[in-house]
Amino acid sequence: MDSSDLNKEPSIIVGGLVLGGVMIGAGMFSLPTIMAGAWFLNSSVILFSVCFFMFLSGTYILECISRYGEGANYSHISKKLLPAWLFYLSNASLIFVLYILIYAYISAAGSVIHEAAAIYGLKSNINYVFILFTLILGSIVWYGGNLSSRVTSLFLLFKIILFTLAFSGLFLKADIRLLLNPGKGNEQVSLLPYTFIIIPYAITSFGFHGNVCSLYKLYNQNPKKVIRSCVLGCVLALCLYLLWMIGTMGNLPRQEFLPIIAAGGNLNSFIDALYSVLSSPYIQSFLLWFSISAVFCSFLGVSIGLFDYILAALKLPENKKGKTKSALLCFLPPLLLCLLFPNGFLIAISYAGTAACIWAVISPAVMVLNSRRLPEKTKFTAFGGNFFVFLVIAFGITGIVCQTLAQLGLLPVYR
């Protein structure tokens, strides 16, 4: 690839695919299980609502960045626009979420690559897989935003194609009556209490905010291109989630999710249930490569955000030495944690929803309120005025309350 091509400003399609890649990951397999209690219609309303509010909070980050220019990142603008206590809490939440996701993706990549090697008759040491995966994809992030964004968009395209090949049969067999009628005595109103548990999980499914600063730099401080990329990424994620829900809930009756939930909602139980509906000699291969593409794509998307955050927060020079320091700080802690606890992320990930509500929802809204009180105008102003800002804050608080009640066992859960 010619170096001039790598330095050329990418199209909004690339930016949208990067954000879509961050949002759409292997975690989508858990969505139908989480949403089984509320079922299709109620869950669709929650998905649309969460997508809208998360998009709004992303535009608030962009508005704040446009005030301070290309060198600004989340750490910089939050330090300028948040009270000290919220600044530290917000940035700690951001770092926690990004690190825990990188840890999760290294762990997932190791297991899926190890499984692929076994299927093709190859022996592999999972610890070596962890290290090799991190080195290869970490090197892509280290090289620069243009290369990593293009590789991410390529993996996302593979993921969409493989998703279509693996599950198109589910869409063709989907029963619309099953989607609209979950079963006897289960009217939509009676399912409403189960919608609250979806909110914190759905928030993590639309978490692209760590990459807004990177896109602003990538598009040479052009907020219109960043906004279009955000719209494209959110719509892509929303459409794929809805298709996934149609393909699963349109084939599996609500009660058939109970054994999956009883088994902890793990991927194997869910896929076994799908095999009973649609069996094909090619399904295993398509599903395997879809999982690999999903993990690779999500890893790159999240890593770009954390890598740039560390680079800017520590004011490291963007040369080989500075980027190497940033890469070590970005990838070494989650890699070491993965080597020590290869399957331990499930406990930590349950708190990611609360952390995302703080740094990706409430904090951007507070920042934009404080930014609009300053006399100087910004290059870009998010739509909706302050009324929507307060709605976003209320939404973030709702997410925290729901997650807390869920952890305490005080929310109704379908099981």
Side-chain angles (χ1 to χ4, degrees):
M1 185 180 293
D2 191 89
S3 60
S4 61
D5 292 333
L6 290 175
N7 294 324
K8 193 184 298 182
E9 184 179 293
S11 69
I12 62 167
I13 295 177
V14 172
L17 290 175
V18 168
L19 295 186
V22 173
M23 290 182 272
I24 305 165
M28 67 180 288
F29 284 99
S30 66
L31 283 179
T33 305
I34 295 165
M35 295 172 173
W39 208 237
F40 180 73
L41 291 179
N42 294 324
S43 298
S44 298
V45 172
I46 294 295
L47 271 185
F48 275 101
S49 303
V50 172
C51 181
F52 175 71
F53 283 117
M54 293 297 279
F55 170 76
L56 273 182
S57 62
T59 65
Y60 296 156
I61 293 178
L62 177 61
E63 180 176 335
C64 294
I65 295 170
S66 68
R67 174 176 293 279
Y68 296 102
E70 181 184 355
N73 73 332
Y74 187 90
S75 175
H76 179 82
I77 60 176
S78 58
K79 189 172 185 179
K80 294 282 187 181
L81 298 170
L82 289 178
W85 68 271
L86 187 52
F87 162 73
Y88 290 115
L89 178 61
S90 180
N91 279 266
S93 301
L94 166 61
I95 293 169
F96 171 78
V97 171
L98 294 179
Y99 268 123
I100 207 68
L101 287 177
I102 292 175
Y103 167 43
Y105 293 138
I106 294 174
S107 176
S111 61
V112 75
I113 293 172
H114 185 71
E115 180 184 348
I119 289 174
Y120 291 106
L122 301 174
K123 292 184 179 180
S124 63
N125 183 302
I126 195 166
N127 287 334
Y128 292 154
V129 175
F130 290 149
I131 296 170
L132 193 60
F133 169 82
T134 307
L135 280 175
I136 294 174
L137 269 71
S139 298
I140 294 173
V141 175
W142 176 90
Y143 187 88
N146 283 319
L147 176 60
S148 53
S149 63
R150 283 172 167 79
V151 173
T152 303
S153 61
L154 183 63
F155 276 124
L156 181 58
L157 285 174
F158 286 152
K159 184 164 61 175
I160 293 172
I161 293 170
L162 290 166
F163 176 84
T164 304
L165 291 172
F167 301 108
S168 57
L170 289 174
F171 307 139
L172 296 175
K173 290 187 174 183
D175 187 347
I176 191 69
R177 293 171 299 178
L178 190 58
L179 289 172
L180 301 179
N181 181 21
K184 288 184 178 181
N186 289 320
E187 294 81 8
Q188 295 298 330
V189 175
S190 69
L191 303 179
L192 286 177
Y194 296 105
T195 59
F196 297 102
I197 191 67
I198 300 172
I199 295 174
Y201 291 94
I203 285 173
T204 60
S205 297
F206 288 99
F208 64 92
H209 301 63
N211 296 77
V212 174
C213 303
S214 300
L215 284 185
Y216 190 66
K217 181 172 68 173
L218 193 65
Y219 288 122
N220 298 314
Q221 306 181 56
N222 187 333
K224 289 184 179 179
K225 287 192 173 183
V226 179
I227 284 293
R228 290 169 185 166
S229 295
C230 291
V231 170
L232 179 60
C234 287
V235 170
L236 181 63
L238 179 62
C239 290
L240 202 57
Y241 292 153
L242 290 172
L243 287 173
W244 178 232
M245 289 165 59
I246 291 171
T248 53
M249 293 180 176
N251 285 281
L252 296 176
R254 186 169 180 256
Q255 62 271 18
E256 290 193 22
F257 282 88
L258 289 173
I260 302 172
I261 296 169
N266 62 64
L267 182 59
N268 290 338
S269 299
F270 190 69
I271 297 304
D272 287 343
L274 291 180
Y275 281 160
S276 66
V277 175
L278 182 67
S279 59
S280 167
Y282 305 106
I283 279 289
Q284 187 176 24
S285 295
F286 288 148
L287 179 60
L288 179 66
W289 287 104
F290 166 76
S291 302
I292 291 174
S293 298
V295 172
F296 279 40
C297 187
S298 298
F299 176 89
L300 285 171
V302 172
S303 298
I304 292 168
L306 182 58
F307 179 84
D308 286 343
Y309 177 92
I310 294 172
L311 204 63
L314 299 182
K315 298 180 180 178
L316 298 172
E318 292 195 39
N319 54 26
K320 290 183 178 180
K321 187 176 180 180
K323 291 197 294 183
T324 300
K325 289 180 180 178
S326 180
L328 289 173
L329 290 172
C330 180
F331 300 116
L332 196 56
L335 175 59
L336 291 175
L337 193 62
C338 207
L339 292 173
L340 293 172
F341 307 101
N343 300 310
F345 75 94
L346 286 176
I347 297 175
I349 206 73
S350 63
Y351 298 98
T354 301
C357 287
I358 295 170
W359 79 267
V361 183
I362 297 174
S363 293
V366 174
M367 283 192 289
V368 85
L369 283 176
N370 291 332
S371 175
R372 290 174 181 178
R373 294 190 183 106
L374 299 176
E376 303 88 359
K377 290 185 177 181
T378 58
K379 292 182 181 179
F380 165 78
T381 302
F383 78 95
N386 288 347
F387 174 74
F388 278 98
V389 177
F390 287 111
L391 279 183
V392 169
I393 293 174
F395 168 72
I397 294 172
T398 301
I400 293 174
V401 172
C402 290
Q403 180 73 8
T404 303
L405 293 177
Q407 294 294 331
L408 297 174
L410 298 177
L411 273 183
V413 178
Y414 183 63
R415 60 179 63 171

